[in-house]
Amino acid sequence: QDLPPLNSDTEVDRIDWSQLEAEFGPVPAPTEDASVGGVSKTLTNEYWRSLGIGYKNVADEYGVDFAYQAAPSEGDQLAQLSIAENMLLQGYDALLFSPQTDNNLQPALERARSQDIPVVNVNDAVIPSVEHYVGNVQRDNGVRVAQWFIENTDGGKVAVIEGQPGVFAAGQRTDGFTTTINEIDGLEVVASVPANWSREEAYNAASTILQQHPDLIGFYANNDGMALGVVEAVKAADLQEQVAVFGTDGISDAYDSIRAGDLTGTVDSFPVLTGEVAMEVALRLLDGQDLPRVVATPQALITSENIEQYSIEDTAALREMLLAE
Amino acid sequence: MATDINRLAVDGISKGFPGVKALEDVSFQVRPGEVHGLLGENGAGKSTMLNVLAAVLKPDAGGIRIDGETVRPGSPKDARAAGIAMIHQELQHVPGLSVAQNIFLGRPLKMAGGLLVNRRAQETRARSILADLDPSIDPGRPIHELKVAQQQIVEIARALLDDAKIIAMDEPTSSLTPSEFDNLAALIRKLSAQGVSIIYVSHKMDEVFQVCQRATILRDGRFVATVDLTETSEDEVIASMVGREIQAEQHVSHAEAETVLRVEGLGDGRMIRDASFELHKGEVLGLAGLVGSGRTELMRLIAGIDRATEGSIEIRGSEHSFRSPREAISAGIGLVPEERKKDGIVRDRSVASNIALPCMNRFSSAGLIRRAHLRREATELMQQMNLRPPNVDRAIGQFSGGNQQKAIIGRWLAADVDILLFDEPTRGIDIGAKSEIYDLIERLAAQGKSIIVVSSELPEILRLSDRVMVMREGEIAGVLSGCDVDEGRIAALAIPKSKSRSSQRTAEPA
Amino acid sequence: MTNTSDTKANEAEGRRSFLPAFINLRDAGTLFGLALILIVFAVLNPVFMTAPNVLNILQQSSINACIALGMTFVIISGGIDLSVGPAAAISAVAGAALMTAGVPLPVALLGAMGTGMLCGLFNGCLIAFAGLQPFIVTLGGLSLYRALALIFTGGNPIFGIPTEFRAFINGDLLGVPVPVVIVGLIALLLWIVLNRTPFGEYILAVGGNQEAARIAGVPVARTRITVYVMSGGLAAVAALILMGRLGAADPTMGNLWELDAIAAAAIGGASLMGGKGSVVGTLLGAVILGSLRNGLTLMNVQAFYQLLATGIIIIVAMLIDRATRGRA
Amino acid sequence: MTNTSDTKANEAEGRRSFLPAFINLRDAGTLFGLALILIVFAVLNPVFMTAPNVLNILQQSSINACIALGMTFVIISGGIDLSVGPAAAISAVAGAALMTAGVPLPVALLGAMGTGMLCGLFNGCLIAFAGLQPFIVTLGGLSLYRALALIFTGGNPIFGIPTEFRAFINGDLLGVPVPVVIVGLIALLLWIVLNRTPFGEYILAVGGNQEAARIAGVPVARTRITVYVMSGGLAAVAALILMGRLGAADPTMGNLWELDAIAAAAIGGASLMGGKGSVVGTLLGAVILGSLRNGLTLMNVQAFYQLLATGIIIIVAMLIDRATRGRA
Ligand SMILES: Nc1ncnc2c1ncn2[C@@H]1O[C@H](COP(=O)(O)OP(=O)(O)OP(=O)(O)O)[C@@H](O)[C@H]1O
Ligand SMILES: Nc1ncnc2c1ncn2[C@@H]1O[C@H](COP(=O)(O)OP(=O)(O)OP(=O)(O)O)[C@@H](O)[C@H]1O
Ligand SMILES: O[C@@H]1[C@H](O)[C@H](O)CO[C@H]1O
Ligand SMILES: [Mg+2]
Ligand SMILES: [Mg+2]
């Protein structure tokens, strides 16, 4: 019961999503009246809506009663807590939480635990005492982009556009990128400023950074919305040839932008697939399976080189391809 | 119906406010070119009547006719279009705007095809209207920089702007000096000669008799009579206003030898220079002077509202330098301010709360206000002062101006301060209440309180004061006592000797 | 200011005639609005009016109510406090740091309260002494206190809140959750302060007419500062409650609290022009917002439509309230 | 309200004597604050004062300035508009939807403007006719308009803004970025409206003393409604500029714009009590905030410390301003 505080990026009691079926068999059929509730961070970002689509795909497939709710805005922590508590009152059999902070859903988690309702922490902020976590390695998002710069450039100045200060995902992604870059001679992170997940703020920050460092070779933005703002700033400064721009999440607008030759790349964490995996994990837990604490979901750096390969609407096909890798 | 010779006919107007019938079936008529007084005690319904005429308030019943035609103005603008202009009792201006902008508010002179305000034309026009009233007012100046008296003149100027058939004036002279009243009286005569009818509300009987031909008297919202002033005496009018006799009391001195307040070389670095005087126990010290002579400023310095830059204030031998009114109050000084609405009342709070503000401790025990005790004491106090309606739980903003003043005076009685500073204490206050306040001041003096009364009405100064101090251009021009106190001597001290400001003290009169 | 004088008169009359002393006509309007919302949800959803859910609503509303009560006092005095959320965060962080450093619990609690009040003192002094506008001072505070909380913690939440404290906050008294009891007691106390103490009169006077209050001897600066200190202190209380519930002190705590608190106070009848506001009204306002959120979630209304409903209901609540106060 | 009368007098003196007509002493104080910030950053960072970066700052400030100008009018009239961000979002979404539907560009632009103004009309009517508090009405609008924008788009940004429109917005006029030119022209127009037209006087009058304005025959309701319509319209202009720059209409556009706009107006001397405010001051306020953000980014100040600096500088700017206006 007394679990050590979870760090989803480093937890050893983990399994890759691809191993689930091999280790634990196919997803067990839930009972007739099974119901699962999902509490998301916000729906104002495609990422979180996609996650919900994934939940729903699996719920529909297995005839599970499913509801997906989110706080009115990213950062409204108490609203999210209320939603989680209210869902508990409605008697869902399992809950999927994507908390806004590491602790804002703690009371709901505790109440669920006292009622023996399994809770899966899906992505992003990590509740330290949570028993189950499904998601990608946040730090790895940044590392992958850093590696691209190491492999594809001869060094130079790069900059980070951060998400909201104090948010887990933002901190991890930034740290992963910056640490990896700074280990390499010749590459240097010359600026790292927050833009609060806002396209406009990202645009402004990027324009200003380009004033200061006209010789910049790349940006890493903590999510795709911001990256698309950065792209416009780079275009406005007429530095497209010189400056590579990367985002995170893999939302459809980012894909479009890569295809159009604007955005250099994004780290796709396959939100729909992640949602599906999370729902499957919930169903497995309802069935009483004893799963490892962390189920790692896939992520991949998407650039114009491999974009067609990953542009798969149908998640079943996507699964197949990812499993084949 | 006989041929209608009336400019304005008021037919059975009623207007109620929750808990109060402010007007009940009031009818009267005003002839073309007539100056018609509208008289009554505080709360009689005068302002309500005028507000109904100017369509600021909607009557519950009744209507008005102008030149025989029934009119139903829906807004102040409609009323003005129908020919009724009004000068409001409470000054109604917008602080940030200039004098001219205020005069033309709501109907600016335009240019550039009506797109832009023609400021120059407005100022020219304003200047020409003000010329008759007070040429010293610069139409380009922000209005809040003007003295109250000047603001009131601007208010009058505003009413003169359109060619109204009827001008309703609600206490237009409440902060004017006699000479300013003379200007106004001349103007009124001119207007009336042009056929403009004027409804004149004032508590100053001498003015009423001077300018009005007839007057309608209201009592408690009801019509009492319309009288021809040439055939009626002042006492008769007052008697029907008040419904009882008012006898003029003579001043009795209660001054003792003990000096309670000693002011030495007080100055504020701007207006007031080197003010020195003494106030004795039980004494009433009148403070006379022209408008703008600095009387209010001096009172504010003593009451700790503004900071003195030089000089000292000594109370019963101990020196004070007040950093706030609160400190002055705890040293025993209370001020009844000149601008009631701005500096006196908290309008949404009850009379009782307004009374209790300076002396909350008296009305609380163990940190809690004893509401019942407060209500009882406030009610008692206000009964003595004849508050109408006699309900201390009502928000003070819902009372007529005169009754608000009673509550503010009551505040200092409740606080039991030793030194009371009255700045224009009877401004806007009816005859009945005025004599009540005079009695009150006398009673307080008899109880050993020391009092300063600032007033622009010399009869009031003469009626109340043991000694009279006169200010001129920020300095104390002299102090008169005993048989030296007369209007002539006061005026002589008050009027500046020459145009250039003399910095040296003028010699005391013999 | 926008009120016609008739309305005011109505209010005053009503207050004394047919309603109990602690509730005035304005509050009755708010109560009516709440009743309407409750009825609608009760009809639409069977869970809504069950005892556990009602307690749930109260518990969820308690933090906003706590903040909103402080806000009410600030608003009545003619000010506004945008910095409540970050003030809560920094108080939580201070409290948690003390607790995890092994300081005795009461001392840590005092430390948290003191931190919140210090934030309020800073706001209040800038407003009362330097004469700056409350909106802009507390907007500055909003960034400042948040930054301090983030810098102090490096952006990480502080865990390890003592279990006895957590148990206390998560416990209940005769079935009523402790946070509800705490906020209820605070509200009672504040009702007394506003309606029965000299300080309450001072706040109302300062908000109603600051210059007149000063001349009447009201300690204006002290009054103005005190309301901000109270607001900071109540932010700390809210922070402690939340910390007890969450088991952690997060430097990002309190995001957007100011808007909810102002909404609760305004729905409850506080006028942002100052001079007016009610403890009971604010509590009702907080519960209205809490019920709304709860009811919509229970009915599984999707986030965007929840936002829509929130907007509509805030406006409708104000309209109902206006109508019940009898204005055309 | 807290001003002593001599301050006011000083101000007025100043206004008449030694300063050009369009700038008053209050604005000079703001200008001084700006100068100080500029000097500090210029000393600390060589890039800061280069021509391209100055244009960059102006460009970055232009959106906030645009919103803040509308806010200034609302504030002068004695109100507040919290709904500007969502009003911008919904205007952007409407405009983009029309553009991508192939409607002629001018029609689409009018559609966007109309949407913003409709939001303002809705706010204004509730405030002027139903007598609700501006704060709470526009707080409701804040949720309402955002919800509508999100529902309409399903939460997705609309891409595919016509390139000719984008090229226009991203172009420049004699080296000055088009957004700066647009906002500059708007500011000029608004300066004339405020200082030279009857409507400007009405706004000042309604904000300064609503009752006096009513009695004087000022069309109070119409004036109050119009300022909200203006604010909505300017939100739409800001939205169009941003849309042109970012190439997308995002339903989440405009988050927290209201705070920045109010801060700019307040720094520029607008009083949230109404009756006071300046077009020039607000522009300067917006540029102060823009310079601040730009300077901190240039110096690569770490996130938490950026927040800290923002808070401190807002307060210090207000203090400087207060001091230059000569108050003890
Ligand atoms: N807005 C209001 N709300 C409630 N009661 C009011 C209002 N205005 C006036 N009253 C009441 O109506 C009555 C008549 O007031 P009004 O102001 O007309 O008196 P007045 O004759 O002008 O007195 P004064 O000489 O003091 O100016 C008073 O009892 C007053 O309290
Ligand atoms: N005509 C004027 N124009 C401008 N300012 C004036 C004028 N007359 C006086 N003042 C200013 O008014 C102030 C003095 O007024 P104060 O209120 O002390 O006079 P008062 O004697 O009390 O007059 P009142 O009888 O109106 O109360 C000074 O600051 C003076 O500069
Ligand atoms: O981590 C998530 C997502 O990646 C999204 O892009 C923005 O919100 C963050 O919290
Ligand atoms: Mg009157
Ligand atoms: Mg005076």
Side-chain angles (χ1 to χ4, degrees), chain B residues 211-275:
Chain B
V211 299
C212 301
Q213 286 96 51
R214 295 194 302 159
T216 293
I217 296 162
L218 299 178
R219 188 161 69 225
D220 294 331
R222 271 179 263 254
F223 172 84
V224 177
T226 295
V227 296
D228 192 329
L229 293 177
T230 53
E231 296 165 2
T232 324
S233 77
E234 204 169 300
D235 289 341
E236 281 170 305
V237 171
I238 292 170
S240 55
M241 271 167 57
V242 184
R244 67 193 138 87
E245 284 289 307
I246 294 196
Q247 61 259 50
E249 302 269 345
Q250 273 308 302
H251 172 65
V252 188
S253 177
H254 303 281
E256 297 172 27
E258 184 192 345
T259 298
V260 174
L261 172 73
R262 185 197 307 277
V263 172
E264 216 25 85
L266 202 65
D268 61 3
R270 300 194 309 264
M271 175 78 195
I272 305 300
R273 287 179 313 274
D274 194 24

Side-chain angles (χ1 to χ4, degrees), chain C residues 59-72:
Chain C
Q59 159 128 328
Q60 287 168 1
S61 311
S62 63
I63 292 199
N64 183 22
C66 187
I67 298 288
L69 285 171
M71 190 67 80
T72 302

Side-chain angles (χ1 to χ4, degrees), chain A residues 138-154:
Chain A
Q138 295 294 352
R139 210 171 168 283
D140 204 37
N141 290 306
V143 175
R144 282 173 196 249
V145 176
Q147 259 148 10
W148 184 92
F149 279 103
I150 293 166
E151 287 159 18
N152 294 278
T153 66
D154 306 325

